[in-house]
Amino acid sequence: MKKHHITYGQIVRCVGLEMSVSKLVSAYPQIVESLKQDDITHFRKFQEQAIEAGLLKGKNLLIAAPTGSGKTLIGELAILKHRLKQESKKALFLVPLKAVANEKYDEFLRKYGDLFTVKVSTGDYETIPEELTEANLIIATYE
């Protein structure tokens, strides 16, 4: 019996639950390019709904979705939009655990180091307050 490997993305696209990144964020070509570098070509349904509800227009949204479903991407989109439009000088990205903060710090530094001065503050580090005031993107814990 021949096995076929079908990815989650293929299944979702087959049932029409995803929308093209290019279609939803076409006003922000830099965001589209950033997403494509991470092989993100389609949004999940709840991500699409967040964009349609005004995520990129400055609306306040509460996102509730399972772990690993893509909530971080929604936050990244909001941060990128504000930075690219220079509507905000700083972004604070809160995570529940120190390990997650360190992981996001490494990821955001890799992805957005050319757009942001990225810093992390988890309580374990002797972060100099001046470093945080100079940062554009601060990843911190609320624990």
Side-chain angles (χ1 to χ4, degrees):
M1 187 161 117
K2 186 176 180 182
K3 292 183 179 181
H4 296 281
H5 177 73
I6 299 174
T7 66
Y8 171 80
Q10 290 169 321
I11 293 169
V12 172
R13 278 191 294 279
C14 286
V15 295
L17 296 177
E18 289 191 347
M19 184 172 280
S20 164
V21 163
S22 300
K23 181 176 180 183
L24 278 177
V25 292
S26 60
Y28 304 96
Q30 290 171 293
I31 293 177
V32 172
E33 194 55 40
S34 174
L35 294 172
K36 287 184 178 179
Q37 287 177 4
D38 282 339
D39 294 325
I40 298 171
T41 58
H42 288 77
F43 290 115
R44 293 183 175 160
K45 187 66 176 176
F46 78 94
Q47 293 165 331
E48 173 188 331
Q49 289 170 332
I51 293 168
E52 290 173 347
L55 176 73
L56 301 177
K57 295 177 182 169
K59 298 286 184 182
N60 294 317
L61 303 174
L62 174 64
I63 308 300
T67 300
S69 62
K71 294 181 298 292
T72 297
L73 181 59
I74 292 173
E76 288 180 57
L77 290 172
I79 290 168
L80 281 170
K81 183 264 181 187
H82 283 284
R83 182 65 180 160
L84 293 172
K85 290 288 188 178
Q86 299 196 353
E87 295 172 349
S88 178
K89 294 180 181 178
K90 291 195 180 294
L92 179 63
F93 197 90
L94 296 174
V95 296
L97 303 168
K98 294 173 186 176
V100 177
N102 292 325
E103 176 185 309
K104 291 300 172 193
Y105 171 76
D106 292 339
E107 177 185 339
F108 288 180
L109 191 61
R110 176 186 55 81
K111 290 167 68 172
Y112 308 121
D114 58 331
L115 290 173
F116 297 99
T117 302
V118 183
K119 297 290 180 183
V120 65
S121 179
T122 62
D124 282 350
Y125 298 102
E126 292 296 324
T127 306
I128 301 168
E130 291 79 26
E131 288 181 11
L132 293 179
T133 60
E134 294 170 4
N136 305 108
L137 176 55
I138 302 168
I139 295 108
T141 60
Y142 49 82
E143 66 174 339

